[in-house]
Amino acid sequence: MKKLLYILFLMGVLYSCDQEESVFFDEPFVRISTSTGEARTVVLSNVRNTNAYSVYVSSRPITDSLEVSYEIIVGDGLQEDVDYKIVTTANPLVFLPGINDMPIRIRWLQHAVNPEKDNTVTIRLTGNSKGFNLGFPGPDHVQSQVVIEKRNN
């Protein structure tokens, strides 16, 4: 029996040596992305739906609320209530203890866009009440914002 356990242990060690290492962050951070984990996406002009762009908190468990503020930057080719409607109006988002993600929702409306103009909506994280990193830790602050481009179909 001991011999079998030793062989299984040795096989596990040898197998794990060939695996890629996971990356773990020691620094707490807040990030935003699409439902597929992307920082940039496209919405077609003939689509009529509501999309959620999720803000995530990555930290050790917190015991009090965390407030995350953001701004929405709209390109000159889009008009609210014509091309889109911001559904989530809470700003800052308040993360209660145990909550690690919250959506910012945008309702996309059917309307053709002028391809010569800036047809993007950018949701940019601007701060938080605990001084956590915005975006993944590192100089590029990946996923500190999400950019949604509306295109004609």
Side-chain angles (χ1 to χ4, degrees), residues 46-119:
N46 68 339
V47 173
R48 182 181 200 102
N49 61 357
T50 301
N51 293 352
Y53 307 95
S54 294
V55 178
Y56 299 95
V57 175
S58 180
S59 74
R60 292 190 169 132
I62 54 176
T63 58
D64 54 345
S65 297
L66 168 70
E67 294 183 1
V68 176
S69 56
Y70 62 93
E71 64 182 347
I72 297 179
I73 304 159
V74 180
D76 65 349
L78 299 178
Q79 296 177 25
E80 188 160 11
D81 295 324
V82 175
D83 295 292
Y84 70 95
K85 174 73 177 160
I86 305 296
V87 177
T88 302
T89 57
N91 192 359
L93 298 174
V94 178
F95 289 79
L96 299 174
I99 304 296
N100 296 318
D101 62 282
M102 294 187 71
I104 297 174
R105 289 187 173 88
I106 298 177
R107 181 177 308 122
W108 294 98
L109 306 173
Q110 289 180 322
H111 184 256
V113 295
N114 180 345
E116 307 279 321
K117 294 192 174 191
D118 178 359
N119 298 305

Side-chain angles (χ1 to χ4, degrees), residues 4-46:
L4 178 62
L5 289 173
Y6 177 74
I7 290 171
L8 289 174
F9 172 76
L10 187 59
M11 287 176 53
V13 169
L14 292 175
Y15 177 76
S16 66
C17 289
D18 193 32
Q19 300 299 309
E20 292 182 25
E21 290 186 33
S22 298
V23 176
F24 296 98
F25 297 103
D26 289 337
E27 300 175 45
F29 61 93
V30 180
R31 69 180 180 89
I32 186 169
S33 69
T34 67
S35 61
T36 59
E38 301 295 321
R40 188 171 186 89
T41 191
V42 172
V43 172
L44 297 178
S45 62
N46 68 339

